[in-house]
Amino acid sequence: SFVLKYILLNLGYIGNEIFDKALDLFEQIDVKLDDVTYIVVFNACAKLCNDRAMKMGKELLAKMPDNYRNHNGISTSAIDMLMKFGNVGSAEQMFRSIKTKGAGIYGALMNGYNLNGESWKCFKIFEEMNEKDIIPDEIEWNILIGACSKSGMLRHCHYIMNQIPLNIQNKIRIQNALVDMWGKCGSIEKAKNVFNLVVDRDTITYNSMINAFGLNGMGSQAVELYREMSNNLRDHISHICVLNACSHAGLLHEARTIFNEISLKTESIITTMVDCLSRLFMFDEAQKLIDDYEKTHTPSIVMYMSLLSGARNNRNRNLSEKIYKRMKILFPNAKESLVSGVILLSNIYSSLGEYQEAKNFRSNQLEELGVKVKVGLSWTEIKGQIVQLKAHDHSHPQSAEIYAKIDRLKSKAIENGFIFDSSWITRSLNENETIESVLCGHSELLVIALNLIQEPVPKFIQVAKNLRVCGHCHEFTKVIAKIEQCDIVVRDANRIHHFYPNGQCSCQDHF
């Protein structure tokens, strides 16, 4: 038993290959399990997260004696393992069954929510900690800040920020997380304020601030800060963040200059440059980068997705078909990326009015791949609660008012000369549908309308969504911000859009 524990503890955390060997050893040696062994094996299973580890971890947990189920160390490891397996319900059930909970158990549950896209649940767990006078340590605060970053809602940021003790706020790990949080929630000024307070800035500090500038369309500021960094602080993440910032701001010259200065160009760095070129429709140059990379490396599907995304925005049917066919040959098992490729290419067919071809291509390819399309979701905060809606959603109690508000906005937009662009419709219209009704049913427009029917009517609206904003919603949101004379911040899967009362967006249409 001592030998097993010694080997597992000293070798088990080095890398995935060693974790596998740790499980091999665990299966080979017949020992009486104690608390240390349970913790080590659960941690190894959590790190591996493959079929074998999931099977072993669940079986071990099912057979674990009741007297170990209230052990904080074991329970923390078990909850962490279940969350990494994606078994949120089982982790919650175990959490509720524990009589005396330490801060670490709460941290494991909240971290699991962040990993599984349920960050809003962290705030309820934090309230429970407050009720039970359980004081978070630096790790738990960092997890909560991460939850704010993922939810994207400023109210949560202020709520958590106001409760972090000053001695914790002054720790560089927390300061770095706060820069990232404010940036991802669209409050660039607050991100800069925290950045300026950091006395001994490290690589993560700079990277977080550069990324914050990039997400919010402030490419020039990102480049300026990148130039301020000393060479010994820059790493490949620094290069990716600044190139991404250039990409989102259309700064082609700056991107080329920085890219050419980078001596060690990783796959991610080249991918980011391909994305920058593709967004500006520089397809030949982007393709040359890919071709040069593939002379000495295995092809990267992310590069092809960047190229295809740019071709979709350019409505370049021939190039898009060529890229998708190449992707199918090179990456037959990358089903999720291929599904995204199907959506992009079918959207091009639709944008050209070829709805039947789009429908046939989409249904045939998706059936062949056997993967479901990711549902588009948008969420906002209404009266302290996160509200999440999907496209053409009628589940909200105020749905009738939401759609009535959409109709009023639509009429005002048309009066002001706005044209609803049918090229953004991805299917043929059903009976009783119009171009306007289909386009105005997108999830981000529904949550914006939900905000606008509240009393009092807000002058600041914040929306986050799990997919990229489409061209129609982008243009219509500009109009809504002008009609309602309010600021609207929309965070999509790629970046943050600040829509102003003058009808402009911070991205300058680089999205």
Side-chain angles (χ1 to χ4, degrees), residues 228 247 301:
E228 285 179 21
S247 178
I301 194 164

Side-chain angles (χ1 to χ4, degrees), residues 251-270:
L251 302 178
L252 180 59
H253 172 71
E254 291 85 344
R256 279 182 179 145
T257 302
I258 291 169
F259 182 74
N260 291 333
E261 289 171 357
I262 299 168
S263 54
L264 180 61
K265 295 177 175 65
T266 64
E267 178 185 331
S268 298
I269 289 169
I270 296 170

Side-chain angles (χ1 to χ4, degrees), residues 262-280:
I262 299 168
S263 54
L264 180 61
K265 295 177 175 65
T266 64
E267 178 185 331
S268 298
I269 289 169
I270 296 170
T271 300
T272 310
M273 191 63 200
V274 168
D275 180 70
C276 180
L277 292 166
S278 300
R279 284 173 186 272
L280 295 168

Side-chain angles (χ1 to χ4, degrees), residues 291-342:
D291 292 341
D292 289 344
Y293 176 80
E294 290 181 0
K295 287 175 184 176
T296 52
H297 299 85
T298 304
S300 162
I301 194 164
V302 187
M303 292 184 194
Y304 283 90
M305 282 302 301
S306 296
L307 197 58
L308 182 56
S309 181
R312 185 265 178 269
N313 289 341
N314 190 231
R315 295 181 190 171
N316 191 325
R317 173 180 177 155
N318 291 336
L319 178 60
S320 299
E321 288 175 338
K322 178 183 170 185
I323 297 166
Y324 180 70
K325 286 174 185 174
R326 179 88 173 133
M327 285 169 59
K328 283 196 75 177
I329 293 168
L330 291 175
F331 317 103
N333 298 318
K335 295 190 182 298
E336 286 192 14
S337 292
L338 288 173
V339 166
S340 298
V342 170

